[in-house]
Amino acid sequence: MIELSIDNDVAHVVLNAPGKLNALDEASIVELDAAYQTAERAGVRALVLRGEGPAFCAGRDISAVDPRTDDVLGYLGNLVTPLLQRMSRFPAPTFAAAHGACLGVGLGLLIATDVVYIADTAKIGSPFANLGATLDSGGHSLFVERLGAHRTLDLIYSGRLLSGAEAVASGLFSQVFPATELTEATVQAASRAASGATQAFLASKAIVQSLRDERLGLWQSMSDETAAQATLCATGDYREGFAAFQQKRKPSFTGRV
């Protein structure tokens, strides 16, 4: 599912499972982590992350997950968080080209990337209103800091998704492009960075990350999200939400523990 190529000091990491909107299961998280490690060992001077097909990444692949035995702590705590930390600390400028669904773990991939260019057709937000689960992968800290508490909870409660244009206007990401121009614009930006003063860029990256992590409390937020998700997976609504998704029907929640 994960493809890696290197061209002129730029690593290209591609999520290539368009049939499932590039949703990530445990194996693909491991593959993605390995791709970043390989790119780091190759000494690339920039990296581009993108997805094939109609979406960047629709989040976790739950198509075969049994909510009665779901190991949320293992998936989020032992796989997703270490991956996002590796991505965030990658020793070169990183860029993402995001289109279509950018949800859940897919949103986390963007949060862990230095510069995000996004298509006007992108969909950003919390899709968990129909799953009995909660936003994860750092989404709470990003939304509260950029959107404020009221808009964050409105998105979570309603399940409404922001367009790429709305996300950029709200300060979530860098620039918005027509979908047909997105990949080219992102690759061009990465190529410029790869031919630039890489060490100076990395100095700024370290300072910005330190300021961001202090202000957002990003990693503590992700730990809190993981703990909350682990608690929720024991509820009837969690099991009902997953079953409804897998059976392609509307869930019927009780709101009870």
Side-chain angles (χ1 to χ4, degrees):
M1 173 187 177
I2 308 300
E3 297 178 354
L4 169 66
S5 61
I6 298 175
D7 181 32
N8 293 325
D9 287 328
V10 178
H12 297 262
V13 179
V14 181
L15 311 180
N16 193 7
K20 59 179 184 179
L21 302 181
N22 297 319
L24 299 170
D25 59 13
E26 288 84 349
S28 52
I29 291 288
V30 172
E31 283 185 54
L32 186 54
D33 188 88
Y36 273 74
Q37 291 186 60
T38 299
E40 181 174 344
R41 288 194 297 268
V44 299
R45 296 179 65 187
L47 181 147
V48 172
L49 174 66
R50 64 179 183 86
E52 284 287 354
F56 171 69
C57 176
R60 183 186 183 188
D61 181 6
I62 64 169
S63 58
V65 172
D66 185 344
R68 297 169 298 181
T69 59
D70 187 15
D71 183 11
V72 172
L73 289 175
Y75 180 76
L76 291 177
N78 298 336
L79 291 176
V80 173
T81 297
L83 167 66
L84 299 183
Q85 289 175 329
R86 182 183 303 282
M87 292 174 61
S88 181
R89 296 164 184 165
F90 190 80
T94 60
F95 298 78
H99 70 290
C102 310
L103 306 171
V105 178
L107 176 62
L109 300 182
L110 301 184
I111 295 171
T113 301
D114 297 345
V115 176
V116 176
Y117 289 170
I118 198 158
D120 51 7
T121 56
K123 298 298 181 185
I124 308 293
S126 174
F128 297 102
N130 287 324
L131 278 178
T134 190
L135 183 62
D136 56 40
S137 304
H140 285 92
S141 61
L142 177 71
F143 284 177
V144 169
E145 198 272 340
R146 305 291 169 81
L147 304 177
H150 294 95
R151 292 183 67 193
T152 295
L153 290 176
D154 184 27
L155 289 176
I156 290 172
Y157 293 168
S158 68
R160 187 177 76 83
L161 302 178
L162 300 174
S163 69
E166 287 177 298
V168 169
S170 299
L172 291 174
F173 300 119
S174 305
Q175 295 187 55
V176 62
F177 292 90
T180 54
E181 301 174 13
L182 178 67
T183 298
E184 181 180 0
T186 309
V187 171
Q188 287 181 351
S191 297
R192 287 193 297 269
S195 64
T198 307
Q199 293 306 309
F201 293 158
L202 292 181
S204 289
K205 177 172 178 170
I207 293 168
V208 169
Q209 286 184 332
S210 177
L211 291 168
R212 183 195 68 172
D213 292 349
E214 178 180 350
R215 186 176 70 250
L216 299 187
L218 183 62
W219 305 117
Q220 180 58 52
S221 172
M222 288 180 60
S223 177
D224 293 343
E225 290 167 343
T226 299
Q229 207 77 282
T231 299
L232 288 168
C233 74
T235 66
D237 281 351
Y238 189 92
R239 293 189 292 273
E240 167 62 11
F242 272 57
F245 176 87
Q246 293 164 349
Q247 297 165 14
K248 296 181 171 57
R249 61 174 174 80
K250 184 177 180 179
S252 177
F253 295 131
T254 68
R256 300 187 182 94
V257 175

